Amino acid sequence: METISFARGVPAPECLPVEELADCARAAVERDGTTVLSYGPVGGYGPLREWIAERHGVSAGRVLLTNGSLQGFVFLAERFRGARVLVELPTYDRPLKILRALGVDVVPLPMDDEGLDPDGLAAALSTGDAPAFLYTIPTFQNPSGRTLSTERRRRVVELVREHELLVLEDDPYGLVRFEGDAPPSLFELEGGTHVAYSSSFSKTIAPGLRVGYFVLSPDLERELEAAAVSTYITPVLLGQATVHEFLRRGNFERNLARVQDLLRARRDAMLDALDGELGGLAEWSRPQGGYFLWLDLPDDVVASELLARAEGAGVTFVDGRDFGGAANTARLAYSYVSTDEVREGVRRLAALIAAVPA
Protein backbone atom coordinates (compact mmCIF):
# COMPACT_ATOMS: atom_id res chain seq x y z
CA MET A 1 0.00 0.00 0.00
CA GLU A 2 1.37 3.39 -0.99
CA THR A 3 1.73 5.89 1.83
CA ILE A 4 -0.25 9.11 1.58
CA SER A 5 1.71 11.91 3.23
CA PHE A 6 -0.06 14.78 4.95
CA ALA A 7 3.30 15.52 6.59
CA ARG A 8 5.07 17.06 3.58
CA GLY A 9 4.67 20.83 3.55
CA VAL A 10 6.05 21.16 0.05
CA PRO A 11 4.48 22.01 -3.32
CA ALA A 12 3.22 19.20 -5.52
CA PRO A 13 5.51 18.54 -8.51
CA GLU A 14 2.97 20.01 -10.92
CA CYS A 15 3.24 23.34 -9.08
CA LEU A 16 6.84 23.76 -10.22
CA PRO A 17 7.37 25.69 -13.49
CA VAL A 18 10.27 23.49 -14.56
CA GLU A 19 10.56 24.41 -18.25
CA GLU A 20 10.20 28.14 -17.62
CA LEU A 21 12.85 28.06 -14.89
CA ALA A 22 15.24 26.11 -17.08
CA ASP A 23 14.91 28.77 -19.76
CA CYS A 24 15.28 31.55 -17.19
CA ALA A 25 18.45 30.02 -15.76
CA ARG A 26 19.97 29.79 -19.23
CA ALA A 27 18.99 33.37 -20.03
CA ALA A 28 20.42 34.62 -16.72
CA VAL A 29 23.78 33.01 -17.44
CA GLU A 30 23.87 34.20 -21.05
CA ARG A 31 22.97 37.77 -20.12
CA ASP A 32 24.94 38.19 -16.87
CA GLY A 33 27.11 35.10 -16.53
CA THR A 34 30.29 36.84 -15.41
CA THR A 35 28.33 38.19 -12.44
CA VAL A 36 26.16 35.25 -11.42
CA LEU A 37 28.90 32.61 -11.82
CA SER A 38 31.43 34.51 -9.73
CA TYR A 39 31.66 35.76 -6.16
CA GLY A 40 29.22 38.51 -5.36
CA PRO A 41 27.91 40.83 -2.65
CA VAL A 42 26.63 38.95 0.38
CA GLY A 43 23.41 40.96 0.35
CA GLY A 44 22.40 39.24 -2.86
CA TYR A 45 21.86 39.79 -6.58
CA GLY A 46 21.34 43.51 -7.10
CA PRO A 47 18.48 43.47 -9.62
CA LEU A 48 16.44 41.11 -7.44
CA ARG A 49 17.05 43.22 -4.34
CA GLU A 50 15.79 46.22 -6.29
CA TRP A 51 12.66 44.36 -7.46
CA ILE A 52 11.82 43.33 -3.88
CA ALA A 53 12.59 46.80 -2.55
CA GLU A 54 10.21 48.41 -5.04
CA ARG A 55 7.49 45.89 -4.16
CA HIS A 56 7.75 46.78 -0.47
CA GLY A 57 8.36 50.50 -0.87
CA VAL A 58 11.86 50.60 0.62
CA SER A 59 15.42 51.14 -0.53
CA ALA A 60 17.35 48.17 -1.88
CA GLY A 61 19.83 48.50 0.98
CA ARG A 62 17.13 47.30 3.37
CA VAL A 63 16.71 43.99 1.52
CA LEU A 64 18.84 40.98 2.40
CA LEU A 65 18.60 37.87 0.21
CA THR A 66 19.13 34.58 2.01
CA ASN A 67 19.32 30.86 1.33
CA GLY A 68 15.63 30.45 2.14
CA SER A 69 14.05 32.61 4.83
CA LEU A 70 15.02 30.17 7.61
CA GLN A 71 18.68 31.05 7.15
CA GLY A 72 17.88 34.68 7.88
CA PHE A 73 15.98 33.58 10.97
CA VAL A 74 19.15 31.90 12.21
CA PHE A 75 21.16 35.10 11.65
CA LEU A 76 18.59 37.06 13.66
CA ALA A 77 18.18 34.50 16.46
CA GLU A 78 21.92 34.18 17.03
CA ARG A 79 21.97 37.85 18.12
CA PHE A 80 19.77 36.92 21.09
CA ARG A 81 21.30 33.81 22.66
CA GLY A 82 19.78 33.24 26.09
CA ALA A 83 17.22 36.02 25.63
CA ARG A 84 13.40 35.88 25.88
CA VAL A 85 11.50 35.44 22.62
CA LEU A 86 7.73 35.42 22.10
CA VAL A 87 6.13 32.94 19.68
CA GLU A 88 2.64 31.81 18.77
CA LEU A 89 1.24 28.57 20.17
CA PRO A 90 1.47 26.52 18.03
CA THR A 91 4.24 27.72 15.75
CA TYR A 92 6.61 26.48 13.05
CA ASP A 93 8.79 23.74 14.50
CA ARG A 94 12.10 24.71 12.85
CA PRO A 95 12.38 28.12 14.58
CA LEU A 96 11.41 26.46 17.85
CA LYS A 97 14.32 24.04 17.52
CA ILE A 98 16.72 26.83 16.57
CA LEU A 99 15.69 29.03 19.50
CA ARG A 100 15.95 26.20 22.01
CA ALA A 101 19.38 25.23 20.71
CA LEU A 102 20.47 28.83 21.36
CA GLY A 103 19.27 28.68 24.95
CA VAL A 104 16.45 31.12 24.30
CA ASP A 105 13.57 31.42 26.78
CA VAL A 106 10.67 30.67 24.42
CA VAL A 107 7.39 32.19 25.62
CA PRO A 108 4.30 30.80 23.83
CA LEU A 109 1.35 33.13 23.23
CA PRO A 110 -2.25 31.93 22.83
CA MET A 111 -4.02 31.78 19.46
CA ASP A 112 -7.55 31.12 18.28
CA ASP A 113 -9.25 31.10 14.89
CA GLU A 114 -8.47 34.83 14.46
CA GLY A 115 -4.77 34.25 15.05
CA LEU A 116 -2.54 35.60 17.79
CA ASP A 117 -4.46 36.91 20.83
CA PRO A 118 -3.36 40.54 21.43
CA ASP A 119 -4.38 40.29 25.08
CA GLY A 120 -1.96 37.41 25.51
CA LEU A 121 0.76 39.50 23.87
CA ALA A 122 -0.02 42.43 26.16
CA ALA A 123 0.19 40.18 29.22
CA ALA A 124 3.57 38.79 28.12
CA LEU A 125 4.90 42.31 27.57
CA SER A 126 3.82 43.43 31.04
CA THR A 127 5.63 40.65 32.94
CA GLY A 128 9.17 39.33 33.06
CA ASP A 129 12.19 40.58 31.15
CA ALA A 130 11.62 42.58 28.00
CA PRO A 131 11.53 40.15 25.06
CA ALA A 132 14.15 40.32 22.34
CA PHE A 133 11.52 39.90 19.63
CA LEU A 134 8.18 38.41 18.65
CA TYR A 135 8.18 35.76 15.94
CA THR A 136 4.85 35.54 14.12
CA ILE A 137 3.41 34.00 10.97
CA PRO A 138 0.23 36.06 10.71
CA THR A 139 -1.09 34.81 7.36
CA PHE A 140 -1.97 31.14 6.69
CA GLN A 141 0.20 30.19 9.62
CA ASN A 142 2.38 27.11 9.71
CA PRO A 143 1.12 24.86 11.29
CA SER A 144 -2.44 26.04 11.90
CA GLY A 145 -3.42 27.70 8.61
CA ARG A 146 -4.94 30.55 10.64
CA THR A 147 -4.77 34.22 9.65
CA LEU A 148 -4.53 37.15 12.05
CA SER A 149 -7.55 39.41 11.55
CA THR A 150 -7.04 43.02 10.47
CA GLU A 151 -8.48 44.32 13.75
CA ARG A 152 -5.99 42.26 15.72
CA ARG A 153 -3.14 43.33 13.45
CA ARG A 154 -3.86 46.94 14.34
CA ARG A 155 -3.89 46.10 18.05
CA VAL A 156 -0.61 44.19 17.75
CA VAL A 157 0.98 47.16 16.00
CA GLU A 158 -0.20 49.46 18.82
CA LEU A 159 1.52 47.19 21.35
CA VAL A 160 4.66 46.97 19.23
CA ARG A 161 4.95 50.74 19.10
CA GLU A 162 4.13 51.18 22.78
CA HIS A 163 6.80 48.69 23.87
CA GLU A 164 9.24 49.30 21.01
CA LEU A 165 9.13 45.57 20.37
CA LEU A 166 11.05 44.03 17.49
CA VAL A 167 8.79 41.78 15.42
CA LEU A 168 9.78 39.25 12.80
CA GLU A 169 6.81 38.85 10.46
CA ASP A 170 7.32 35.60 8.55
CA ASP A 171 5.14 35.60 5.43
CA PRO A 172 5.99 32.75 3.05
CA TYR A 173 2.35 31.76 2.39
CA GLY A 174 0.50 35.08 2.17
CA LEU A 175 0.32 35.19 -1.63
CA VAL A 176 -0.99 31.62 -1.85
CA ARG A 177 -4.53 32.85 -1.24
CA PHE A 178 -7.59 30.96 -2.46
CA GLU A 179 -10.36 33.35 -1.42
CA GLY A 180 -11.06 36.56 0.48
CA ASP A 181 -9.19 39.85 0.61
CA ALA A 182 -5.62 40.03 1.85
CA PRO A 183 -5.19 41.98 5.10
CA PRO A 184 -2.40 44.54 5.37
CA SER A 185 0.88 43.11 6.62
CA LEU A 186 2.17 44.09 10.04
CA PHE A 187 5.13 45.62 8.20
CA GLU A 188 2.80 47.87 6.21
CA LEU A 189 0.71 48.86 9.22
CA GLU A 190 3.69 49.62 11.45
CA GLY A 191 5.82 51.25 8.78
CA GLY A 192 8.87 49.00 9.04
CA THR A 193 10.50 50.66 12.05
CA HIS A 194 9.99 47.82 14.53
CA VAL A 195 8.70 45.11 12.16
CA ALA A 196 11.12 43.08 10.04
CA TYR A 197 9.47 41.24 7.16
CA SER A 198 10.60 37.90 5.74
CA SER A 199 9.36 35.82 2.84
CA SER A 200 10.67 33.59 0.08
CA PHE A 201 9.95 32.36 -3.42
CA SER A 202 9.76 28.75 -2.23
CA LYS A 203 5.96 28.64 -2.18
CA THR A 204 5.32 30.90 -5.19
CA ILE A 205 8.01 29.69 -7.63
CA ALA A 206 10.12 26.74 -6.38
CA PRO A 207 11.75 25.76 -3.07
CA GLY A 208 14.86 24.28 -4.67
CA LEU A 209 15.97 27.72 -5.82
CA ARG A 210 16.56 28.58 -2.13
CA VAL A 211 15.79 32.27 -2.48
CA GLY A 212 14.42 33.93 0.62
CA TYR A 213 14.56 37.55 1.65
CA PHE A 214 14.28 39.97 4.54
CA VAL A 215 13.17 43.59 4.60
CA LEU A 216 14.88 45.16 7.60
CA SER A 217 15.68 48.46 9.22
CA PRO A 218 18.99 49.81 7.89
CA ASP A 219 20.84 49.02 11.13
CA LEU A 220 19.47 45.49 11.38
CA GLU A 221 20.21 44.82 7.71
CA ARG A 222 23.85 45.74 8.27
CA GLU A 223 24.05 43.48 11.34
CA LEU A 224 22.52 40.49 9.57
CA GLU A 225 24.64 41.09 6.49
CA ALA A 226 27.70 40.97 8.73
CA ALA A 227 26.47 37.61 10.06
CA ALA A 228 26.10 36.40 6.49
CA VAL A 229 29.64 37.53 5.64
CA SER A 230 30.98 35.41 8.51
CA THR A 231 28.99 32.40 7.26
CA TYR A 232 29.67 32.24 3.53
CA ILE A 233 31.80 33.96 0.91
CA THR A 234 29.06 34.56 -1.63
CA PRO A 235 25.34 33.91 -2.00
CA VAL A 236 23.97 31.58 -4.69
CA LEU A 237 23.68 34.27 -7.32
CA LEU A 238 22.56 31.93 -10.09
CA GLY A 239 19.41 30.94 -8.21
CA GLN A 240 18.68 34.57 -7.38
CA ALA A 241 19.28 35.67 -10.98
CA THR A 242 16.99 32.88 -12.21
CA VAL A 243 14.22 34.18 -9.95
CA HIS A 244 14.80 37.71 -11.19
CA GLU A 245 14.60 36.60 -14.83
CA PHE A 246 11.33 34.79 -14.04
CA LEU A 247 9.97 38.00 -12.51
CA ARG A 248 11.35 40.22 -15.27
CA ARG A 249 9.49 38.21 -17.90
CA GLY A 250 6.19 38.75 -16.12
CA ASN A 251 5.78 35.06 -15.24
CA PHE A 252 5.22 35.55 -11.53
CA GLU A 253 1.54 36.50 -11.36
CA ARG A 254 0.54 33.93 -13.95
CA ASN A 255 2.42 31.18 -12.13
CA LEU A 256 0.98 32.28 -8.79
CA ALA A 257 -2.55 32.00 -10.16
CA ARG A 258 -1.77 28.49 -11.38
CA VAL A 259 -0.40 27.47 -7.96
CA GLN A 260 -3.43 28.95 -6.24
CA ASP A 261 -5.77 26.92 -8.44
CA LEU A 262 -3.86 23.69 -7.88
CA LEU A 263 -3.72 24.07 -4.10
CA ARG A 264 -7.27 25.41 -3.76
CA ALA A 265 -8.57 22.14 -5.18
CA ARG A 266 -6.53 20.21 -2.61
CA ARG A 267 -7.68 22.42 0.26
CA ASP A 268 -11.30 22.02 -0.82
CA ALA A 269 -10.92 18.25 -1.07
CA MET A 270 -9.49 18.05 2.45
CA LEU A 271 -12.20 20.22 3.99
CA ASP A 272 -14.92 18.24 2.20
CA ALA A 273 -13.38 14.94 3.29
CA LEU A 274 -13.04 16.06 6.89
CA ASP A 275 -16.64 17.30 6.92
CA GLY A 276 -17.82 13.96 5.59
CA GLU A 277 -15.61 11.66 7.64
CA LEU A 278 -14.97 13.48 10.93
CA GLY A 279 -17.85 15.94 11.28
CA GLY A 280 -18.95 16.04 14.92
CA LEU A 281 -15.96 13.98 16.04
CA ALA A 282 -13.06 16.42 15.63
CA GLU A 283 -12.47 20.10 14.85
CA TRP A 284 -10.14 21.78 12.38
CA SER A 285 -9.14 25.16 11.01
CA ARG A 286 -10.50 26.35 7.65
CA PRO A 287 -7.63 28.19 5.95
CA GLN A 288 -8.27 30.61 3.11
CA GLY A 289 -4.86 29.82 1.65
CA GLY A 290 -1.48 28.32 2.33
CA TYR A 291 -0.47 24.69 2.81
CA PHE A 292 -1.84 23.46 6.14
CA LEU A 293 -4.74 23.02 8.49
CA TRP A 294 -4.77 22.22 12.21
CA LEU A 295 -6.68 19.24 13.51
CA ASP A 296 -8.01 19.06 17.07
CA LEU A 297 -8.69 15.39 17.74
CA PRO A 298 -11.03 14.06 20.44
CA ASP A 299 -9.56 14.50 23.93
CA ASP A 300 -8.93 10.78 24.33
CA VAL A 301 -6.90 10.51 21.10
CA VAL A 302 -3.13 10.93 21.48
CA ALA A 303 -1.71 12.10 18.17
CA SER A 304 1.62 10.32 18.57
CA GLU A 305 -0.15 7.00 19.16
CA LEU A 306 -2.49 7.66 16.26
CA LEU A 307 0.49 8.46 14.04
CA ALA A 308 2.13 5.12 14.81
CA ARG A 309 -1.03 3.30 13.74
CA ALA A 310 -1.58 5.61 10.78
CA GLU A 311 1.85 4.84 9.35
CA GLY A 312 0.88 1.19 9.35
CA ALA A 313 -2.32 2.09 7.50
CA GLY A 314 -0.43 4.08 4.87
CA VAL A 315 -1.04 7.69 5.92
CA THR A 316 1.18 10.17 7.78
CA PHE A 317 0.88 13.59 9.38
CA VAL A 318 2.86 15.64 11.92
CA ASP A 319 2.22 15.37 15.65
CA GLY A 320 0.99 18.72 16.97
CA ARG A 321 3.40 18.54 19.89
CA ASP A 322 6.25 19.20 17.44
CA PHE A 323 4.82 22.71 17.14
CA GLY A 324 4.10 23.16 20.84
CA GLY A 325 0.51 21.92 20.52
CA ALA A 326 -1.49 19.67 22.81
CA ALA A 327 -1.21 15.88 22.74
CA ASN A 328 -4.45 15.56 20.73
CA THR A 329 -3.47 17.90 17.89
CA ALA A 330 -2.00 17.36 14.44
CA ARG A 331 -0.91 19.30 11.36
CA LEU A 332 -2.28 18.14 8.02
CA ALA A 333 -0.60 19.38 4.84
CA TYR A 334 -2.64 19.25 1.62
CA SER A 335 -0.07 20.87 -0.67
CA TYR A 336 1.75 17.78 -1.93
CA VAL A 337 -0.97 15.14 -2.37
CA SER A 338 -3.57 14.81 -5.13
CA THR A 339 -7.26 15.37 -4.44
CA ASP A 340 -7.89 11.62 -4.67
CA GLU A 341 -5.09 10.97 -2.19
CA VAL A 342 -6.52 13.62 0.13
CA ARG A 343 -9.89 11.87 0.21
CA GLU A 344 -8.41 8.42 0.71
CA GLY A 345 -5.96 9.62 3.35
CA VAL A 346 -8.69 11.31 5.37
CA ARG A 347 -10.81 8.16 5.09
CA ARG A 348 -7.95 6.07 6.50
CA LEU A 349 -7.39 8.53 9.34
CA ALA A 350 -11.07 8.71 10.21
CA ALA A 351 -11.29 4.92 10.46
CA LEU A 352 -8.38 4.87 12.89
CA ILE A 353 -9.81 7.69 14.99
CA ALA A 354 -13.20 6.01 15.17
CA ALA A 355 -11.52 2.81 16.35
CA VAL A 356 -9.95 4.48 19.41
CA PRO A 357 -11.74 3.10 22.49
CA ALA A 358 -13.68 5.73 24.45
Side-chain angles (χ1 to χ4, degrees):
M1 175 171 36
E2 187 171 346
T3 296
I4 296 170
S5 177
F6 295 150
R8 300 197 67 187
V10 298
E14 56 266 37
C15 290
L16 305 177
V18 175
E19 293 183 6
E20 295 96 322
L21 288 174
D23 195 50
C24 287
R26 174 178 290 277
V29 171
E30 289 177 345
R31 188 181 64 255
D32 202 12
T34 56
T35 297
V36 302
L37 296 177
S38 187
Y39 295 107
V42 76
Y45 186 59
L48 181 57
R49 293 180 82 182
E50 291 168 5
W51 186 94
I52 293 168
E54 183 177 355
R55 188 176 182 90
H56 291 282
V58 299
S59 65
R62 293 181 60 179
V63 176
L64 174 66
L65 300 181
T66 55
N67 181 28
S69 58
L70 194 62
Q71 183 185 60
F73 179 87
V74 173
F75 292 156
L76 178 67
E78 285 180 337
R79 299 175 71 249
F80 301 111
R81 289 176 178 270
R84 184 170 180 250
V85 172
L86 310 180
V87 302
E88 296 156 337
L89 180 66
T91 192
Y92 182 22
D93 57 338
R94 295 298 181 88
L96 273 181
K97 292 176 182 177
I98 292 165
L99 292 171
R100 288 168 178 160
L102 293 171
V104 167
D105 176 19
V106 178
V107 179
L109 304 179
M111 294 182 73
D112 58 23
D113 285 340
E114 289 187 64
L116 175 67
D117 180 1
D119 291 338
L121 173 59
L125 291 171
S126 65
T127 59
D129 296 334
F133 67 95
L134 163 66
Y135 173 67
T136 177
I137 312 171
T139 307
F140 312 139
Q141 194 229 25
N142 180 5
S144 72
R146 296 165 177 154
T147 294
L148 186 64
S149 67
T150 299
E151 180 181 354
R152 288 193 179 185
R153 288 172 191 245
R154 296 188 189 281
R155 175 61 179 143
V156 167
V157 165
E158 289 174 1
L159 290 167
V160 166
R161 288 172 173 163
E162 178 183 346
H163 293 270
E164 297 186 339
L165 173 67
L166 174 63
V167 176
L168 176 56
E169 178 180 16
D170 194 4
D171 188 28
Y173 306 101
L175 292 178
V176 188
R177 174 172 288 277
F178 312 143
E179 60 202 37
D181 296 325
S185 68
L186 295 173
F187 181 87
E188 292 166 340
L189 288 172
E190 193 274 331
T193 300
H194 300 294
V195 177
Y197 180 91
S198 72
S199 188
S200 82
F201 295 97
S202 293
K203 310 304 185 293
T204 53
I205 302 180
L209 291 167
R210 308 312 303 138
V211 181
Y213 68 89
F214 281 67
V215 183
L216 305 157
S217 68
D219 288 344
L220 193 54
E221 195 284 331
R222 284 191 289 271
E223 285 192 48
L224 266 61
E225 191 167 314
V229 167
S230 68
T231 304
Y232 49 78
I233 297 174
T234 186
V236 185
L237 295 174
L238 177 55
Q240 295 173 7
T242 299
V243 167
H244 179 258
E245 178 67 16
F246 191 85
L247 300 171
R248 191 184 70 84
R249 294 182 178 192
N251 289 349
F252 185 68
E253 297 300 335
R254 181 173 65 253
N255 187 70
L256 179 59
R258 188 177 64 85
V259 169
Q260 289 167 335
D261 288 344
L262 288 167
L263 297 189
R264 182 188 297 111
R266 289 161 166 78
R267 187 281 314 262
D268 290 348
M270 181 163 280
L271 291 178
D272 289 345
L274 289 168
D275 286 337
E277 299 283 354
L278 286 174
L281 185 60
E283 296 181 351
W284 49 88
S285 60
R286 295 183 175 271
Q288 292 186 312
Y291 276 36
F292 311 105
L293 61 79
W294 188 246
L295 181 63
D296 287 293
L297 297 159
D299 292 341
D300 56 354
V301 176
V302 178
S304 59
E305 297 174 0
L306 176 65
L307 178 58
R309 292 187 292 118
E311 289 172 342
V315 60
T316 63
F317 56 87
V318 184
D319 185 345
R321 284 184 292 189
D322 289 358
F323 309 97
N328 68 323
T329 59
R331 188 193 76 175
L332 303 184
Y334 48 77
S335 58
Y336 185 75
V337 285
S338 70
T339 54
D340 287 343
E341 288 172 324
V342 166
R343 296 185 187 97
E344 175 59 19
V346 171
R347 187 196 66 77
R348 293 178 191 177
L349 269 184
L352 294 170
I353 293 167
V356 174

